[in-house]
Amino acid sequence: MIDIKNLNREMCPQLVRISKLRIIVRILTIIVYTATLCWFAYCLFLSFFGWSIGYEPSGNGNTWIYIMGGFCVFCVLHITLMNSMTNLKDHEIRIMRKALRQMFPDATYLASCSVSYQMLKDSALFGLFNMENNPIVATGYGCVKFQEQDQSTSIYDIGVTSDKAAHAMYHLPVIGYLTILYRTLVRPIFGAEIESSQHSFRGMFGAYPGFKECEGNVILLPDHLEDKIGYLAHSIQSYKQQNGARHVILEDPEFENLFEVYADNEVEARKVLTPAIMRRITKLRQSFGKNMMLSFSGNMCYYAVPIPNGFLRPSRRAVKDKELFEQIFQEINIAYRLPKELTLT
């Protein structure tokens, strides 16, 4: 049995170093992204207003000196930022690899991985029924793999970006450009994590085969997220439009307090979500302590758990978080046990 408290103490010096690196990266991020934003504003001013009032930078030698000097300083700061981010990422990977080796000796940790678009589409959790209407980009931040006999189980830390900006740019160029400008320059300045600030979804994702055969899709969403998180609301709306799905009312008050069920076939939904399975899902959700999304399609079960800072990278409050690795252990362990929890024997 792993001693989590001892693991926290052992990793504390490395977490302190990561915390210091985060401060450096944060300062450089604010400087570099703010400078870039100011540069865009400056160019925009010249394009729309400067020439109309007769401003000619070519006639002022000092202006170009300032511009080139600022550009050189920006390049140095940008290179420093990129090196700092790479250094931080390497430290995070090393500490996670060491911690996961102790917590799950039989598991394999991959620092970089990718999730297939087809798997995300089949899960029906991200509204990916039409690539033209729902363009997305999925980024992998690592995964933990468990190998049991002939079956491999992968638990992914992913970021999913609904690239609505690119779609909007095609139809409404001005709005599209402004959206991309906001997402790539403004949000990273104020966001707690540069990488997470650009995603519509960041957290845990996985899939398991071997469940009861389900025709169509049955989707379980947290009952309070559809109205509060626009991306999920758009996803389920897209799902309902594409498949004629509807809300399914079941006879388990405790389950209904946690999940909203949508399916394109109510009979299939009731076949999959038996009273025993609903009780197990309720217990699983309570053990997780986080919002969960589940879907059943064919013989597959897909799940996604929103974790804004990811779960395979130390959070920005890792040094102060005395239960960091205990939380990581519980999250991975529950996800690993999910197929056993949902399979009646």
Side-chain angles (χ1 to χ4, degrees):
M1 183 67 180
I2 179 67
D3 186 346
I4 300 293
K5 292 184 178 179
N6 183 59
L7 180 61
N8 274 321
R9 287 193 297 268
E10 182 183 344
M11 296 297 182
C12 189
Q14 298 179 56
L15 290 174
V16 170
R17 186 171 185 181
I18 286 178
S19 180
K20 292 178 179 178
L21 284 172
R22 283 186 183 277
I23 293 174
I24 294 173
V25 170
R26 187 66 183 154
I27 293 172
L28 289 171
T29 298
I30 293 173
I31 293 173
V32 170
Y33 279 76
T34 301
T36 305
L37 188 62
C38 290
W39 171 257
F40 271 95
Y42 174 75
C43 293
L44 189 66
F45 173 79
L46 289 183
S47 299
F48 288 94
F49 304 106
W51 308 126
S52 64
I53 61 176
Y55 179 75
E56 297 183 5
S58 59
N60 188 344
N62 290 332
T63 300
W64 288 109
I65 292 175
Y66 295 147
I67 291 175
M68 293 307 298
F71 179 74
C72 292
V73 172
F74 171 80
C75 287
V76 172
L77 289 173
H78 187 266
I79 292 172
T80 305
L81 172 61
M82 293 298 102
N83 290 336
S84 299
M85 291 178 67
T86 300
N87 194 18
L88 174 60
K89 180 181 178 181
D90 291 342
H91 276 78
E92 289 177 337
I93 290 173
R94 281 199 293 269
I95 192 174
M96 288 306 301
R97 179 173 285 116
K98 185 175 181 180
L100 289 169
R101 188 182 299 120
Q102 294 188 41
M103 290 189 288
F104 302 99
D106 298 330
T108 302
Y109 167 60
L110 300 177
S112 59
C113 64
S114 61
V115 181
S116 71
Y117 174 80
Q118 190 62 44
M119 183 185 292
L120 294 173
K121 180 178 179 180
D122 291 342
S123 75
L125 292 174
F126 303 100
L128 311 179
F129 300 97
N130 187 308
M131 187 61 182
E132 181 181 354
N133 294 330
N134 297 280
I136 62 102
V137 176
T139 305
Y141 293 100
C143 81
V144 180
K145 286 193 174 183
F146 295 89
Q147 184 69 44
E148 285 188 347
Q149 297 178 353
D150 296 332
Q151 184 172 332
S152 177
T153 301
S154 298
I155 303 170
Y156 297 92
D157 182 359
I158 66 168
V160 178
T161 303
S162 177
D163 205 3
K164 297 289 185 180
H167 189 60
M169 184 184 294
Y170 179 78
H171 297 283
L172 300 169
V174 175
I175 295 177
Y177 283 122
L178 290 177
T179 303
I180 289 179
L181 186 64
Y182 167 75
R183 194 181 68 192
T184 57
L185 294 180
V186 178
R187 285 180 64 179
I189 295 175
F190 299 101
E193 302 282 345
I194 302 173
E195 55 191 23
S196 295
S197 65
Q198 300 184 29
H199 295 312
S200 306
F201 170 89
R202 174 75 191 274
M204 180 184 290
F205 175 79
Y208 298 103
F211 286 86
K212 183 184 298 184
E213 191 73 24
C214 174
E215 296 182 9
N217 292 290
V218 178
I219 299 179
L220 283 65
L221 290 182
D223 70 328
H224 59 285
L225 283 189
E226 184 177 348
D227 295 329
K228 293 184 179 180
I229 298 182
Y231 177 59
L232 294 182
H234 288 307
S235 297
I236 196 63
Q237 189 63 33
S238 170
Y239 172 66
K240 289 190 287 187
Q241 290 175 354
Q242 292 285 335
N243 296 272
R246 59 182 179 272
H247 183 216
V248 179
I249 304 295
L250 300 169
E251 294 75 27
D252 187 325
E254 192 174 10
F255 178 86
E256 291 280 334
N257 287 335
L258 295 173
F259 295 99
E260 296 280 357
V261 179
Y262 294 89
D264 45 15
N265 187 323
E266 185 172 345
V267 175
E268 287 296 315
R270 294 182 181 278
K271 285 172 58 179
V272 172
L273 298 174
T274 63
I277 289 295
M278 285 191 287
R279 286 194 296 270
R280 293 199 174 194
I281 292 177
T282 299
K283 184 178 179 180
L284 189 69
R285 163 63 179 82
Q286 292 170 342
S287 298
F288 237 122
K290 290 182 172 63
N291 291 309
M292 293 180 63
M293 300 182 288
L294 292 163
S295 71
F296 298 88
S297 179
N299 72 331
M300 297 290 293
C301 172
Y302 303 89
Y303 69 92
V305 181
I307 306 176
N309 293 323
F311 72 100
L312 289 180
R313 301 281 177 87
S315 67
R316 60 191 179 94
R317 297 181 180 177
V319 176
K320 299 179 181 179
D321 188 356
K322 303 300 182 181
E323 300 179 349
L324 169 67
F325 292 106
E326 182 177 357
Q327 180 178 340
I328 293 173
F329 177 82
Q330 290 178 348
E331 290 170 349
I332 296 176
N333 190 47
I334 291 173
Y336 173 66
R337 287 173 22 226
L338 189 145
K340 297 178 182 178
E341 293 290 336
L342 298 186
T343 302
L344 295 174
T345 57

